[in-house]
Amino acid sequence: MRLFRHWTDLPADARGASVALANFDGVHRGHRAVIAAAEAAAPGAPRGVVTFEPHPREVFRPGEPPFRLTGFRAKARLLEEIGLDLLFVLHFDQALASRTAEQFVDEILVRGLAVAHVAVGEDFRFGRGRGGDAALLLREGARHGFGVSVVPAAADAAGVPYSSTRVRDALVAG
């Protein structure tokens, strides 16, 4: 797996991937469902993940102690074990946070990464003020010529969705 900490001036073979887009503070079953959707949607394309470091919560709520499920290095190892080709780690700061959802799509996904396909969870939000959602991403994908998969929440046998919040809550509860 090749790791990129930027989205500009990428080599040609790092562009045109089918990517899962999420915070990925862990790599639980819900995250794996989004990655699987990205892989299935464009079988001939390189397989990748687009994620953010530091976690957006650390930028927006710096006074709160971070409660990450998985540190960056461990997360990268887990993603590599899945067999991904590419890992795009975007530096999350106020400059990135200030981009509108449409700017994020145009500048990063289209001009920077030239994505073939993007998979997100159904509750994914992005862009300034969390102004972008799956519906906006679907519209922008159609406009710019890339595919979009919106993945319903993966759930356990009791129907309870897997989520980072659920894992954190279980850890806190012991």
Side-chain angles (χ1 to χ4, degrees), residues 57-77:
R57 182 175 294 137
E58 293 176 40
V59 172
F60 292 126
R61 298 187 229 162
E64 292 182 18
F67 190 175
R68 301 182 66 130
L69 297 179
T70 309
F72 174 72
R73 288 183 183 171
K75 174 173 61 175
R77 278 193 307 273

Side-chain angles (χ1 to χ4, degrees), residues 48 158 168:
R168 271 189 218 87

Side-chain angles (χ1 to χ4, degrees), residues 56-118:
R57 182 175 294 137
E58 293 176 40
V59 172
F60 292 126
R61 298 187 229 162
E64 292 182 18
F67 190 175
R68 301 182 66 130
L69 297 179
T70 309
F72 174 72
R73 288 183 183 171
K75 174 173 61 175
R77 278 193 307 273
L78 290 168
L79 291 169
E80 185 173 36
E81 288 172 8
I82 291 172
L84 295 173
D85 301 309
L86 306 164
L87 175 58
F88 300 100
V89 181
L90 307 183
H91 179 71
F92 195 88
D93 58 11
Q94 288 298 332
L96 185 61
S98 70
R99 284 179 170 78
T100 65
E102 293 86 356
Q103 288 171 323
F104 181 89
V105 170
D106 181 58
E107 295 171 15
I108 297 171
L109 298 180
V110 174
R111 288 191 275 150
L113 303 179
V115 294
H117 194 90
V118 176

Side-chain angles (χ1 to χ4, degrees), residues 138-161:
L138 284 162
R139 287 192 306 274
E140 289 295 302
R143 186 164 81 91
H144 289 287
F146 62 86
V148 176
S149 295
V150 180
V151 181
D156 65 17
V160 180

Side-chain angles (χ1 to χ4, degrees), residues 119-131:
V120 295
E122 63 187 0
D123 61 350
F124 182 71
R125 301 297 296 238
F126 69 107
R128 183 173 56 225
R130 298 173 45 95

